PDB file of all heavy atoms in Angstrom:
ATOM      1  N   MET A  67      14.689  74.661 -93.523  1.00 98.00           N
ATOM      2  CA  MET A  67      14.878  76.025 -94.014  1.00 98.00           C
ATOM      3  C   MET A  67      15.311  76.056 -95.478  1.00 98.00           C
ATOM      4  O   MET A  67      16.036  75.179 -95.931  1.00 98.00           O
ATOM      5  CB  MET A  67      15.949  76.740 -93.179  1.00 98.00           C
ATOM      6  CG  MET A  67      15.516  77.079 -91.775  1.00 98.00           C
ATOM      7  SD  MET A  67      16.920  77.559 -90.705  1.00 98.00           S
ATOM      8  CE  MET A  67      17.632  78.922 -91.632  1.00 98.00           C
ATOM      9  N   ASP A  68      14.880  77.094 -96.180  1.00 98.00           N
ATOM     10  CA  ASP A  68      15.412  77.302 -97.520  1.00 98.00           C
ATOM     11  C   ASP A  68      16.665  78.187 -97.432  1.00 98.00           C
ATOM     12  O   ASP A  68      17.046  78.644 -96.353  1.00 98.00           O
ATOM     13  CB  ASP A  68      14.344  77.892 -98.457  1.00 98.00           C
ATOM     14  CG  ASP A  68      13.957  79.326 -98.108  1.00 98.00           C
ATOM     15  OD1 ASP A  68      14.487  79.887 -97.123  1.00 98.00           O
ATOM     16  OD2 ASP A  68      13.114  79.890 -98.831  1.00 98.00           O
ATOM     17  N   LYS A  69      17.277  78.421 -98.567  1.00 97.00           N
ATOM     18  CA  LYS A  69      18.567  79.119 -98.567  1.00 97.00           C
ATOM     19  C   LYS A  69      18.451  80.581 -98.170  1.00 97.00           C
ATOM     20  O   LYS A  69      19.440  81.206 -97.789  1.00 97.00           O
ATOM     21  CB  LYS A  69      19.230  79.005 -99.950  1.00 97.00           C
ATOM     22  CG  LYS A  69      18.474  79.682-101.077  1.00 97.00           C
ATOM     23  CD  LYS A  69      19.175  79.508-102.406  1.00 97.00           C
ATOM     24  CE  LYS A  69      18.422  80.156-103.551  1.00 97.00           C
ATOM     25  NZ  LYS A  69      18.264  81.609-103.396  1.00 97.00           N
ATOM     26  N   ASP A  70      17.245  81.154 -98.266  1.00 98.00           N
ATOM     27  CA  ASP A  70      17.057  82.577 -97.973  1.00 98.00           C
ATOM     28  C   ASP A  70      16.510  82.841 -96.563  1.00 98.00           C
ATOM     29  O   ASP A  70      16.224  83.981 -96.221  1.00 98.00           O
ATOM     30  CB  ASP A  70      16.120  83.211 -99.007  1.00 98.00           C
ATOM     31  CG  ASP A  70      16.705  83.158-100.406  1.00 98.00           C
ATOM     32  OD1 ASP A  70      17.902  83.476-100.552  1.00 98.00           O
ATOM     33  OD2 ASP A  70      15.974  82.784-101.338  1.00 98.00           O
ATOM     34  N   SER A  71      16.360  81.798 -95.777  1.00 98.00           N
ATOM     35  CA  SER A  71      15.871  81.954 -94.411  1.00 98.00           C
ATOM     36  C   SER A  71      17.026  82.104 -93.435  1.00 98.00           C
ATOM     37  O   SER A  71      18.170  81.763 -93.746  1.00 98.00           O
ATOM     38  CB  SER A  71      15.000  80.753 -94.016  1.00 98.00           C
ATOM     39  OG  SER A  71      13.788  80.741 -94.743  1.00 98.00           O
ATOM     40  N   ARG A  72      16.704  82.618 -92.257  1.00 98.00           N
ATOM     41  CA  ARG A  72      17.709  82.824 -91.207  1.00 98.00           C
ATOM     42  C   ARG A  72      17.146  82.345 -89.877  1.00 98.00           C
ATOM     43  O   ARG A  72      15.937  82.409 -89.643  1.00 98.00           O
ATOM     44  CB  ARG A  72      18.093  84.306 -91.101  1.00 98.00           C
ATOM     45  CG  ARG A  72      18.726  84.891 -92.365  1.00 98.00           C
ATOM     46  CD  ARG A  72      20.096  84.291 -92.639  1.00 98.00           C
ATOM     47  NE  ARG A  72      20.726  84.840 -93.845  1.00 98.00           N
ATOM     48  CZ  ARG A  72      20.623  84.307 -95.054  1.00 98.00           C
ATOM     49  NH1 ARG A  72      19.873  83.221 -95.244  1.00 98.00           N
ATOM     50  NH2 ARG A  72      21.241  84.850 -96.092  1.00 98.00           N
ATOM     51  N   LEU A  73      18.032  81.885 -89.003  1.00 98.00           N
ATOM     52  CA  LEU A  73      17.612  81.373 -87.702  1.00 98.00           C
ATOM     53  C   LEU A  73      18.587  81.831 -86.626  1.00 98.00           C
ATOM     54  O   LEU A  73      19.808  81.776 -86.815  1.00 98.00           O
ATOM     55  CB  LEU A  73      17.548  79.843 -87.736  1.00 98.00           C
ATOM     56  CG  LEU A  73      17.041  79.118 -86.486  1.00 98.00           C
ATOM     57  CD1 LEU A  73      16.332  77.824 -86.879  1.00 98.00           C
ATOM     58  CD2 LEU A  73      18.151  78.805 -85.496  1.00 98.00           C
ATOM     59  N   ILE A  74      18.035  82.283 -85.503  1.00 98.00           N
ATOM     60  CA  ILE A  74      18.823  82.594 -84.313  1.00 98.00           C
ATOM     61  C   ILE A  74      18.467  81.561 -83.255  1.00 98.00           C
ATOM     62  O   ILE A  74      17.286  81.276 -83.023  1.00 98.00           O
ATOM     63  CB  ILE A  74      18.505  84.002 -83.773  1.00 98.00           C
ATOM     64  CG1 ILE A  74      18.854  85.076 -84.815  1.00 98.00           C
ATOM     65  CG2 ILE A  74      19.262  84.269 -82.470  1.00 98.00           C
ATOM     66  CD1 ILE A  74      18.399  86.482 -84.417  1.00 98.00           C
ATOM     67  N   THR A  75      19.476  80.982 -82.611  1.00 98.00           N
ATOM     68  CA  THR A  75      19.232  80.050 -81.517  1.00 98.00           C
ATOM     69  C   THR A  75      20.033  80.497 -80.302  1.00 98.00           C
ATOM     70  O   THR A  75      21.185  80.918 -80.425  1.00 98.00           O
ATOM     71  CB  THR A  75      19.554  78.596 -81.923  1.00 98.00           C
ATOM     72  OG1 THR A  75      19.263  77.712 -80.830  1.00 98.00           O
ATOM     73  CG2 THR A  75      21.003  78.426 -82.341  1.00 98.00           C
ATOM     74  N   VAL A  76      19.399  80.441 -79.123  1.00 98.00           N
ATOM     75  CA  VAL A  76      19.965  81.018 -77.904  1.00 98.00           C
ATOM     76  C   VAL A  76      20.005  79.983 -76.794  1.00 98.00           C
ATOM     77  O   VAL A  76      19.020  79.267 -76.562  1.00 98.00           O
ATOM     78  CB  VAL A  76      19.128  82.230 -77.428  1.00 98.00           C
ATOM     79  CG1 VAL A  76      19.748  82.867 -76.184  1.00 98.00           C
ATOM     80  CG2 VAL A  76      18.969  83.260 -78.547  1.00 98.00           C
ATOM     81  N   ASP A  77      21.147  79.906 -76.102  1.00 97.00           N
ATOM     82  CA  ASP A  77      21.271  79.042 -74.922  1.00 97.00           C
ATOM     83  C   ASP A  77      22.301  79.668 -73.987  1.00 97.00           C
ATOM     84  O   ASP A  77      23.233  80.343 -74.447  1.00 97.00           O
ATOM     85  CB  ASP A  77      21.714  77.628 -75.325  1.00 97.00           C
ATOM     86  CG  ASP A  77      21.378  76.587 -74.278  1.00 97.00           C
ATOM     87  OD1 ASP A  77      21.982  76.608 -73.181  1.00 97.00           O
ATOM     88  OD2 ASP A  77      20.511  75.742 -74.545  1.00 97.00           O
ATOM     89  N   ASN A  78      22.154  79.421 -72.697  1.00 97.00           N
ATOM     90  CA  ASN A  78      23.067  80.032 -71.722  1.00 97.00           C
ATOM     91  C   ASN A  78      24.221  79.127 -71.317  1.00 97.00           C
ATOM     92  O   ASN A  78      25.038  79.504 -70.479  1.00 97.00           O
ATOM     93  CB  ASN A  78      22.288  80.470 -70.463  1.00 97.00           C
ATOM     94  CG  ASN A  78      21.735  79.283 -69.677  1.00 97.00           C
ATOM     95  OD1 ASN A  78      21.771  78.135 -70.143  1.00 97.00           O
ATOM     96  ND2 ASN A  78      21.201  79.556 -68.499  1.00 97.00           N
ATOM     97  N   ASP A  79      24.309  77.943 -71.903  1.00 95.00           N
ATOM     98  CA  ASP A  79      25.349  76.984 -71.528  1.00 95.00           C
ATOM     99  C   ASP A  79      26.484  77.023 -72.559  1.00 95.00           C
ATOM    100  O   ASP A  79      26.297  76.608 -73.707  1.00 95.00           O
ATOM    101  CB  ASP A  79      24.745  75.584 -71.440  1.00 95.00           C
ATOM    102  CG  ASP A  79      25.704  74.554 -70.854  1.00 95.00           C
ATOM    103  OD1 ASP A  79      26.856  74.458 -71.338  1.00 95.00           O
ATOM    104  OD2 ASP A  79      25.296  73.845 -69.916  1.00 95.00           O
ATOM    105  N   GLU A  80      27.645  77.506 -72.139  1.00 96.00           N
ATOM    106  CA  GLU A  80      28.777  77.650 -73.065  1.00 96.00           C
ATOM    107  C   GLU A  80      29.223  76.315 -73.645  1.00 96.00           C
ATOM    108  O   GLU A  80      29.578  76.222 -74.827  1.00 96.00           O
ATOM    109  CB  GLU A  80      29.949  78.332 -72.360  1.00 96.00           C
ATOM    110  CG  GLU A  80      29.710  79.792 -72.017  1.00 96.00           C
ATOM    111  CD  GLU A  80      30.926  80.436 -71.372  1.00 96.00           C
ATOM    112  OE1 GLU A  80      31.984  79.775 -71.299  1.00 96.00           O
ATOM    113  OE2 GLU A  80      30.815  81.599 -70.952  1.00 96.00           O
TER     114      GLU A  80
END
Side-chain angles (χ1 to χ4, degrees):
M67 289 166 56
D68 69 359
K69 64 181 179 61
D70 297 315
S71 291
R72 298 292 180 267
L73 184 149
I74 298 173
T75 182
V76 182
D77 201 292
N78 67 351
D79 189 309
E80 291 182 6

